[in-house]
């Protein structure tokens, strides 16, 4: 497909510009009490949460904006929101 | 960190939606349910702006944006072209827009698309305001919500009208499948999108999506607020196939909330709660919820 | 094959020979006969295209936009209010560089509402990024559509073929409709440079901020500037293959020794040529410059073809209210620092279907020999009607400009 400046844009390229600087809080997945409900995975607006195992999830901090939905939706309080240092 | 699962999503991260954006979650859920073999026509609005700021794009599916009011027409053109070029097997066509792009300025195009019977799934992300331009009122703004063009003031109580009944309008056009959904229940969105795409003809799904700055909520509250809307009866979730209601989401007794509890969560209703006439206004909103509860049989258990 | 045909029917026939994949147009007088004829051709299986009935021109244009972006050769047609309703989409199609072809059956613009011919509609959309071409007669309108698809697809720029409403759309003329083979030889199948497909899932129509918008617009301008060569080449190739002279961007008529040049576009040129033939017989050194393409605007060509004239009269069926005829202003821009500049006058004619008679043209021509000033005039104004509305002669005088570019005083440089 022909590339025309300003007309044709390549797919998935938004990842090149991280929005992680927006974060005020960052999630910490404690990975202690997880029951594998997948709420954190399902409800992340940025698709930042990934599955490591049936009962083990984490957030890709390249993608996370720190909204806190995962922590709020975790039924067993296994995700903590920590203040970003910078 | 580059985790493969995160890197490969059909709606990639790195877009500029607000933290906690309901529309971003809904759109991600829709596209993950639909899969890669789709072509999307997107109206102007938040979703378009936050996903495709030049020179980048968050989309990993073929995607086009033209104007605010013509997503349904552009999608119609795509669908007809695929047929004419004998490429219909290649992709399903999805049109998507906000509530303004659908219920207001895009109404004619939406109607034309439904009436002509195109094989298109039209998804409306209902944030109940023009999110992109700073939270002005739309035809889907609920009664008494404060918006920047329906402000609460000495003489006004926010938006003076009720939500336009767009699903019924779609049904009356003969849409083969009409459903409402909420970002509070993503699995339900997934199921409805898959079902819609398995049917041929025009389909309409309206997804209720909280707008963090527009509704005056905290970014982590999106799902809680979306669910409260459903569990108050204000946003009934149903499916209509060929004109018949084939399913509703029942409100579980222990999850049911009053409209007042729902309204309390959001700044856009704070003037109502503070006002001396508040009780009366809330009663009016509650009666909308009650009507929905009755009309769709939202209480009780599924047979 | 030669046949006597109504202009609209002939155009519909030729559009169908161009094998568009998607056709979508919304009816409006005087374009209706084109879309109706295409509907019949479609119903008979002769037009093998997706044929869509839109609910408005805005949607019709959006539908061809979507179709074109999917890789389909796409066609629409409209007029007047319909074109104005499409305005937003017109800019969009051009900005996305989609090679849509459209027929504009030129008609006046409301208010007052008027269904008759002038060229205010397409001229008002001159800045939307489409190539604009004007046909002189039905044969040229037909041939121009074949060329339009070729030009559009070669350049990725949409093309508007303008033909005067009623005068051409509804008149019966002898037309040579080319065979399918002849059309195929000039117009190869559409091979889009980019299109929507899951096989290569690109994003089209993204949002560009202050950091990029200007460059993108500049590149659109550059693409337009490359267009004259293609327009000329396609026109030459067409002439070679069909024997019919088309003229590319501008076509001179009796221009070599002309002191006075009449400039116009569209169907008026036929009458003008008759008048000029007579005047030539009477010994007047007069010629015509036919404007076939207004966008891209062939400024240098205008300069070169007009610089030897003493005076130029631009006859046009449009007006930029508060200024003068639109084409006239643009032609003036070709002489901003020229060593030799003709006096250029604007004659507003034929608005809303007002008849332009041979005498009107003759009077303009003769007046150019007698009066050297640069002026703006309305031709064929019914002064009795104005008088009945208590207009005085002075009121009419206020509508015209007698000396827009006064000659420099002697001694000025
Ligand atoms: C013809 C036109 N009118 C107005 C606008 C300005 N505008 C752009 S997006 C928008 C509101 C979008 O609201 P909605 O459709 O609800 O989508 P959201 O941003 O909430 O997702 C408006 C008014 C425009 N782009 N085009």
């Amino acid at each position: 497909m022909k590339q025309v400046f300003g007309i044709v844009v390549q797919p998935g390229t938004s990842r090149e510009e991280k929005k992680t600087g927006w974060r005020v809080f960052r999630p910490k997945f404690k990975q202690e009490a997880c029951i594998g409900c997948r709420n954190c995975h399902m409800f992340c607006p940025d698709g930042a949460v990934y599955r490591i195992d049936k009962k083990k999830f984490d957030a890709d901090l390249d993608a996370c904006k720190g909204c806190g939905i995962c922590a709020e939706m975790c039924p067993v309080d296994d995700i903590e929101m920590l203040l970003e240092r910078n | 960190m580059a985790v493969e699962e995160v890197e490969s999503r059909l709606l990639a991260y790195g877009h500029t939606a607000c933290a906690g954006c309901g529309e971003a979650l809904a759109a991600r859920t829709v596209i993950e349910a639909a899969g890669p073999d789709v072509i999307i026509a997107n109206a102007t609005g938040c979703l378009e702006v936050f996903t495709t700021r030049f020179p980048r794009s968050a989309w990993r599916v073929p995607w086009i944006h033209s104007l605010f009011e013509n997503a349904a027409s552009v999608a119609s053109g795509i669908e007809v072209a695929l047929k004419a070029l004998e490429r219909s097997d290649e992709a399903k066509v999805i049109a998507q827009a906000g509530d303004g792009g659908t219920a207001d300025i895009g109404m004619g195009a939406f109607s034309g698309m439904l009436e002509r019977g195109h094989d298109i799934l039209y998804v409306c992300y209902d944030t109940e305001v023009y999110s992109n331009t700073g939270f002005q009122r739309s035809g889907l703004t609920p009664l008494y919500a404060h918006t920047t063009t329906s402000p609460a003031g000495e003489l006004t109580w926010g938006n003076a009208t009720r939500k336009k009944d767009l699903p019924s309008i779609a049904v009356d056009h003969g849409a083969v499948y009409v459903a409402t959904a909420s970002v509070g229940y993503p699995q339900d969105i997934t199921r409805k999108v898959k079902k819609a795409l398995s049917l041929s003809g025009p389909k309409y799904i309206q997804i209720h999506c909280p707008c963090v700055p527009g509704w005056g909520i905290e970014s982590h509250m999106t799902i809680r607020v979306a669910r409260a809307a459903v569990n108050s009866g204000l946003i009934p979730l149903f499916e209509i196939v060929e004109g018949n209601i084939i399913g509703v989401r029942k409100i579980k007794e222990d999850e049911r909330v009053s409209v007042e509890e729902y309204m309390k969560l959001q700044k856009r209703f704070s003037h109502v709660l503070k006002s001396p006439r508040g009780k009366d206004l809330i009663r009016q909103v509650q009666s909308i919820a009650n009507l929905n509860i009755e009309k769709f049989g939202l209480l009780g258990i599924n047979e | 094959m030669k046949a006597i045909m109504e202009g609209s029917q002939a155009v519909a026939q030729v559009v169908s020979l161009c094998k568009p994949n998607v056709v979508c147009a919304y009816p409006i007088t005087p374009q209706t006969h084109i879309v109706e004829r295409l509907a019949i051709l479609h119903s008979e299986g002769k037009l093998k295209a997706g044929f869509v009935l839109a609910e408005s021109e805005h949607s019709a244009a959006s539908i061809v936009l979507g179709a074109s972006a999917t890789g389909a050769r796409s066609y629409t047609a409209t007029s007047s209010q319909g074109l104005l309703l499409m305005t937003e989409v017109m800019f969009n199609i051009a900005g996305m560089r989609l090679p849509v072809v459209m027929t504009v059956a030129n008609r006046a613009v409301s208010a007052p509402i008027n269904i008759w011919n002038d060229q205010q509609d397409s001229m008002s959309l001159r800045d939307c990024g489409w190539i604009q071409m004007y046909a002189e007669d039905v044969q040229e309108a037909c041939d121009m559509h074949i060329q339009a698809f070729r030009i559009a697809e070669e350049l990725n720029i949409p093309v508007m073929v303008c033909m005067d409403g009623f005068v051409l759309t509804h008149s019966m003329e002898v037309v040579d409709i080319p065979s399918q083979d002849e059309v195929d030889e000039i117009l190869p199948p559409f091979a889009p440079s980019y299109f929507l497909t899951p096989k290569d899932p690109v994003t089209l129509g993204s949002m560009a901020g202050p950091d990029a918008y200007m460059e993108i617009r500049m590149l659109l301008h550059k693409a337009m500037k490359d267009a004259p060569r293609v327009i000329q080449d396609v026109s030459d190739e067409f002439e070679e293959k069909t024997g019919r002279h088309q003229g590319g961007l501008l076509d001179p008529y009796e221009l070599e020794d002309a002191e006075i040049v009449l400039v116009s576009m569209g169907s008026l040129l036929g009458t003008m040529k008759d008048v000029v033939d007579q005047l030539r017989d009477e010994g007047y050194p007069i010629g015509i410059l036919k404007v076939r393409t207004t966008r891209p605007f062939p400024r240098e060509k205008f300069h070169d073809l007009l610089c030897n004239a003493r005076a130029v009269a631009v006859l046009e069926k449009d007006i930029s209210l508060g200024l003068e005829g639109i084409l006239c202003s643009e032609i003036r821009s070709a002489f901003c620092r020229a060593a030799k500049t003709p006096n250029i006058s604007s004659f507003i004619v034929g608005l809303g279907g007002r008849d332009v008679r041979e005498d009107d043209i003759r009077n303009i021509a003769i007046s150019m020999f007698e009066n050297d000033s640069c002026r703006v005039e309305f031709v064929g104004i019914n002064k009795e009607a104005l008088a009945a509305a208590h207009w005085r002669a002075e009121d009419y005088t206020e509508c015209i400009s007698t000396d827009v570019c006064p000659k420099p005083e002697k001694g000025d440089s």
Side-chain angles (χ1 to χ4, degrees), chain B residues 160-217:
Chain B
T161 55
R162 298 175 176 209
K163 276 176 93 76
K164 189 187 288 189
D165 187 357
L166 219 44
S168 292
I169 292 171
V171 169
D172 287 348
H173 275 76
V176 295
Y177 181 84
V178 174
T180 52
S182 162
V183 78
Y185 301 97
Q187 284 162 318
D188 186 52
I189 299 177
T190 302
R191 187 179 62 76
K192 286 171 175 166
V193 167
K194 284 191 189 265
K195 182 155 180 180
L197 289 174
S198 74
L199 302 168
S200 82
K203 283 91 55 177
Y204 177 63
I205 301 181
Q206 181 171 309
I207 307 177
H208 193 240
C209 311
C211 169
V212 171
W215 295 14
I217 61 174

Side-chain angles (χ1 to χ4, degrees), chain A residues 14-16 19 41 47 72, chain B residues 5 7 9 13-14 220:
Chain A
S14 57
R15 292 169 302 139
E16 292 161 10
K19 303 296 178 300
H41 193 245
E72 168 157 334
Chain B
E5 185 197 331
E7 293 293 323
R9 298 205 197 283
Y13 69 82
H220 56 87

Side-chain angles (χ1 to χ4, degrees), chain A residues 13-76:
Chain A
T13 40
S14 57
R15 292 169 302 139
E16 292 161 10
E17 214 174 80
K18 316 266 181 270
K19 303 296 178 300
T20 47
W22 295 18
R23 268 200 311 266
V24 181
F25 295 97
R26 68 157 71 195
K28 179 169 190 285
F29 282 64
K30 292 188 269 184
Q31 300 174 342
E32 290 161 5
C34 181
I35 54 168
C37 74
R38 291 186 45 237
N39 272 1
C40 54
H41 193 245
M42 187 163 59
F43 288 115
C44 175
D46 292 276
V49 178
Y50 59 98
R51 203 188 94 127
I52 300 164
D53 207 347
K54 235 181 170 163
K55 294 184 181 176
K56 194 171 182 188
F57 291 81
D58 208 341
D60 184 331
L61 292 179
D62 277 354
C64 171
K65 289 184 188 138
C67 68
I69 289 179
C70 53
E72 168 157 334
M73 297 310 292
C74 178
V76 291

Side-chain angles (χ1 to χ4, degrees), chain A residues 4-15:
Chain A
V4 184
F5 180 85
I7 311 276
V8 182
V9 170
Q10 291 309 303
T13 40
S14 57
R15 292 169 302 139

Side-chain angles (χ1 to χ4, degrees), chain A residues 1-10, chain B residues 39 62-64 85 87 90, chain C residues 65-73 92-100 152-158 190-197 200-206 216 220 223:
Chain A
M1 217 156 290
K2 200 170 151 187
Q3 298 308 308
V4 184
F5 180 85
I7 311 276
V8 182
V9 170
Q10 291 309 303
Chain B
I39 297 177
W63 183 97
I64 184 171
L85 298 167
R87 281 169 42 202
E90 195 175 276
Chain C
L65 182 156
S68 183
T70 311
R73 178 173 287 165
N92 221 247
I93 290 172
M96 294 167 86
R97 298 202 54 187
L98 298 172
V100 173
E153 289 167 13
E154 212 162 307
L155 291 162
N156 268 306
I157 300 177
F190 179 32
S193 335
Y194 44 84
F195 59 97
L196 296 163
T197 170
D200 193 348
V202 293
T203 289
L204 304 179
S206 55
I216 297 170
L220 292 175

Side-chain angles (χ1 to χ4, degrees), chain B:
Chain B
M1 211 181 285
V3 177
E4 174 56 26
E5 185 197 331
V6 176
E7 293 293 323
S8 64
R9 298 205 197 283
L10 291 175
L11 180 57
Y13 69 82
H15 57 64
T16 58
C18 303
C21 173
E23 191 168 3
L25 173 55
R28 167 167 101 77
T29 310
V30 167
I31 192 60
E32 284 174 11
D37 295 332
V38 294
I39 297 177
I40 294 185
N42 207 129
T44 310
C46 262
L47 179 57
E48 164 261 328
V49 170
F50 73 64
T51 55
T52 61
R53 171 131 190 185
F54 186 80
R56 299 183 225 289
S57 169
W59 297 97
R60 274 228 187 66
V61 292
W63 183 97
I64 184 171
H65 157 254
S66 168
L67 298 165
F68 185 20
E69 64 276 47
N70 70 356
S73 315
V74 173
S76 301
I78 294 169
E79 187 252 15
V80 173
L82 288 176
K83 278 195 181 131
L85 298 167
E86 295 177 358
R87 281 169 42 202
S88 292
D89 290 347
E90 195 175 276
K92 307 254 187 207
V93 182
I94 296 177
Q96 54 186 21
D99 43 302
T102 308
D104 296 342
I105 201 166
M107 196 70 201
F110 179 58
S111 168
M113 178 208 95
L114 294 172
E115 170 210 310
R116 287 187 298 266
H118 294 282
D119 187 12
I120 294 171
L121 168 60
Y122 189 109
V123 181
C124 168
Y125 298 95
D126 178 15
T127 61
E128 301 192 325
V129 271
Y130 296 169
S131 300
N132 184 51
T133 39
F135 326 115
Q136 297 85 11
R137 179 208 171 267
S138 88
L140 297 193
T141 299
L143 188 61
Y144 299 135
H146 165 100
T147 74
T148 52
T149 51
S150 64
E154 298 255 316
L155 306 173
T156 53
W157 307 101
N159 182 46
T161 55
R162 298 175 176 209
K163 276 176 93 76
K164 189 187 288 189
D165 187 357
L166 219 44
S168 292
I169 292 171
V171 169
D172 287 348
H173 275 76
V176 295
Y177 181 84
V178 174
T180 52
S182 162
V183 78
Y185 301 97
Q187 284 162 318
D188 186 52
I189 299 177
T190 302
R191 187 179 62 76
K192 286 171 175 166
V193 167
K194 284 191 189 265
K195 182 155 180 180
L197 289 174
S198 74
L199 302 168
S200 82
K203 283 91 55 177
Y204 177 63
I205 301 181
Q206 181 171 309
I207 307 177
H208 193 240
C209 311
C211 169
V212 171
W215 295 14
I217 61 174
E218 297 294 324
S219 66
H220 56 87
M221 289 166 64
T222 303
I223 306 303
R224 197 196 323 163
V225 172
R227 288 185 167 182
V230 172
N231 292 324
S232 68
L234 281 174
I235 299 294
L237 303 189
F238 53 80
E239 275 178 285
I240 298 178
V241 174
E242 284 169 11
N244 303 310
I245 300 181
I246 60 149
V248 297
R249 184 189 170 88
K250 300 277 186 182
I251 300 172
K252 294 194 187 104
E253 202 41 54
D254 57 340
E255 288 176 359
R256 188 174 174 190
V257 295
S258 65
V259 299
E260 184 172 355
E261 286 168 276
Y262 168 62
M263 290 161 91
K264 268 186 186 156
L265 297 170
Q266 313 161 56
K267 285 208 188 80
R268 64 176 172 157
F269 293 115
S270 58
H271 61 286
V272 173
L273 300 158
K274 277 187 230 141
S275 116
R277 272 193 59 195
K279 279 214 163 62
D280 177 37
L281 303 178
I282 290 167
R283 204 175 304 123
Q284 290 176 41
V285 178
Q286 185 64 53
S287 79
I288 297 173
N290 293 350
L291 276 175
N292 285 335
I293 288 169
E294 199 179 316
K295 179 175 170 193
F296 293 101
L298 298 178
L299 298 180
I301 39 172
N302 281 315
E303 289 100 63

